[in-house]
Amino acid sequence: MIIKGINVQPGAAEYPRNQWYVAAFSCEVTREPMHRTLFDEPIVFYRTEAGEPVALFDRCPHRGMRLSNGGVLFGNTIQCHYHGIRFDQKGRGCLIPSGGTPTSAMSVRRYALKEIGGWIWIWAGEAELADESIIPDHDALGITASGFHAYYGLALEANSNYLFSLENLVDATHISFLHHGLIDDGNVAAHPFSCHQDGVRVSMVREFKNETIAPMVAKAMALKGKRADRTLELISYAPSTCVVRQHFVETDGEHSARRDSRLIFGITPTGPRSCIQFVAMANDYENTHPGVFEDLRHLLMEDVVALDDIQILFDRLGQDRAPEISVRSDEGAIRTRRLIAGQIAQEQRAAKVTS
């Protein structure tokens, strides 16, 4: 699908650069330099002595060694393991052991970061353009909301275009088939829905009355009854965030527990045809199920395997021989594609003005 001259067909979809994406869980970034490839770029992460996260282009401009490959921290600077050249937290060369004063050329790109809750967000565009106001509201997500408990720690790598993952997470109709009863009783695909849009937020809402509670859901949410009223809301924030929100009220008489549970996904491209899903959980109750993330990994890997297979076939056929026909339930996905295309087109217009 081409919108405003932008390719937003999953499999080959472009992504905007002047946006925030989840780069890591807070617990991953320490005083030990860590490498991660995002946006097809090598990036090294570490923390300053004050605990602030830092992200730099992971290549020494002297002879090309990764700074994360054996690099050592001295205060707030990182030292290349090859020739000992050091770079400060802004990416500027600050020491050449063999002599000489570092010039402006002896520097690496610095990425703007923002740490909220247990996530570290990264700005994919130029650091000077970073706009923190467009990061999704973490209270609305549930991550920092009063009365909610947040959990982190599941990251899934997919060998498929980022938009496959984004759209999969806001598509309820596959639940009844791909996940073969793990989280529903087969009633989701045909159920009526409503679609709502507010800025870059698009939500698909389904209301279920007195439905059977799936065993995996009952275990994860400590529901003791067998039936409940449920609201399923699948939300996308273009271009990189999804929320799967489920609200349960038990209806089988003896039990009347209420649960508001949210899975929050940061979808970050690592390349044109690969991405990472960073998964957090926010509940209005304390989750005491010790294996909740392992159960979730098993469930979500069914999606990853399917999407990777779709990408392989897409690449084999090429976009011209791999058309897609959308149906009514794809309304949320199509709206999100239009938003992403608009974001990229706006970047392109701004680039022309400044060039």
Side-chain angles (χ1 to χ4, degrees):
M1 173 181 279
I2 307 296
I3 301 176
K4 299 180 181 180
I6 310 299
N7 189 343
V8 287
Q9 182 171 337
E14 302 173 53
Y15 55 88
R17 301 287 304 211
N18 290 334
Q19 293 289 330
W20 293 92
Y21 297 85
V22 176
F25 296 113
S26 292
C27 61
E28 292 183 285
V29 179
T30 67
R31 290 285 289 169
E32 183 73 25
M34 180 191 77
H35 170 85
R36 177 158 282 156
T37 298
L38 302 174
F39 324 117
D40 228 11
E41 298 173 7
I43 303 174
V44 59
F45 295 86
Y46 67 91
R47 288 189 185 273
T48 66
E49 291 181 315
E52 293 295 317
V54 175
L56 304 176
F57 190 75
D58 195 10
R59 179 185 181 276
C60 178
H62 175 225
R63 288 296 182 265
M65 190 167 191
R66 283 191 292 117
L67 297 174
S68 62
N69 185 6
V72 178
L73 299 184
F74 289 87
N76 295 332
T77 69
I78 185 169
Q79 176 178 282
C80 177
H81 185 53
Y82 198 8
H83 298 97
I85 297 174
R86 295 185 191 178
F87 301 85
D88 66 19
Q89 65 205 70
K90 293 186 177 181
R92 300 172 300 199
C94 57
L95 175 67
I96 302 176
S98 58
T101 301
T103 66
S104 59
M106 187 63 76
S107 62
V108 294
R109 178 182 175 185
R110 174 185 69 89
Y111 297 81
L113 300 178
K114 180 67 176 180
E115 187 167 16
I116 308 176
W119 270 349
I120 296 175
W121 293 78
I122 188 168
W123 179 260
E126 294 301 320
E128 295 74 18
L129 300 177
D131 180 1
E132 294 182 6
S133 70
I134 63 176
I135 298 175
D137 184 330
H138 281 49
D139 278 355
L141 296 179
I143 288 177
T144 57
S146 176
F148 276 73
H149 303 267
Y151 307 88
Y152 306 87
L154 179 59
L156 301 173
E157 297 185 13
N159 291 312
S160 53
N161 181 260
Y162 84 104
L163 198 50
F164 275 135
S165 288
L166 193 73
E167 293 192 357
N168 173 76
L169 291 165
V170 294
D171 165 33
T173 62
H174 80 276
I175 293 172
S176 299
F177 304 98
L178 185 63
H179 298 310
H180 43 264
L182 283 175
I183 52 176
D184 83 321
D185 61 1
N187 62 335
V188 174
H191 202 80
F193 65 87
S194 58
C195 184
H196 311 273
Q197 182 174 345
D198 180 11
V200 298
R201 182 185 189 275
V202 178
S203 66
M204 300 280 282
V205 182
R206 290 170 172 82
E207 303 276 355
F208 302 88
K209 294 296 183 182
N210 199 36
E211 70 168 352
T212 301
I213 303 172
M216 180 178 172
V217 173
K219 183 168 63 171
M221 299 184 184
L223 294 169
K224 298 180 180 179
K226 296 186 180 298
R227 306 190 72 83
D229 291 342
R230 175 171 66 122
T231 299
L232 173 62
E233 184 176 13
L234 305 180
I235 309 164
S236 66
Y237 294 81
S240 67
T241 311
C242 296
V243 180
V244 178
R245 182 187 181 191
Q246 297 191 82
H247 184 267
F248 287 87
V249 179
E250 291 182 293
T251 59
D252 57 355
E254 182 181 354
H255 306 284
S256 59
R258 295 171 178 265
R259 297 283 189 267
D260 188 340
S261 176
R262 308 177 191 188
L263 293 177
I264 306 100
F265 297 79
I267 310 298
T268 305
T270 56
R273 285 162 169 77
S274 59
C275 65
I276 301 176
Q277 297 182 17
F278 294 93
V279 189
M281 180 184 299
N283 306 323
D284 67 350
Y285 59 95
E286 189 172 1
N287 197 313
T288 58
H289 174 39
V292 63
F293 271 122
E294 280 311 304
D295 286 350
L296 190 58
R297 179 186 295 277
H298 173 69
L299 178 75
L300 295 174
M301 280 304 299
E302 293 184 335
D303 296 298
V304 170
V305 170
L307 298 178
D308 288 359
D309 185 66
I310 293 170
Q311 182 73 61
I312 289 170
L313 184 57
F314 180 92
D315 290 340
R316 183 185 305 160
L317 294 174
Q319 187 165 339
D320 291 342
R321 295 173 58 211
E324 58 170 22
I325 308 300
S326 295
V327 296
R328 184 174 177 272
S329 61
D330 297 315
E331 180 180 354
I334 299 304
R335 290 194 188 203
T336 300
R337 289 186 195 183
R338 292 195 174 104
L339 288 167
I340 291 172
Q343 291 168 340
I344 297 172
Q346 183 179 15
E347 285 182 14
Q348 292 177 345
R349 289 193 296 271
K352 288 180 180 179
V353 170
T354 57
S355 61

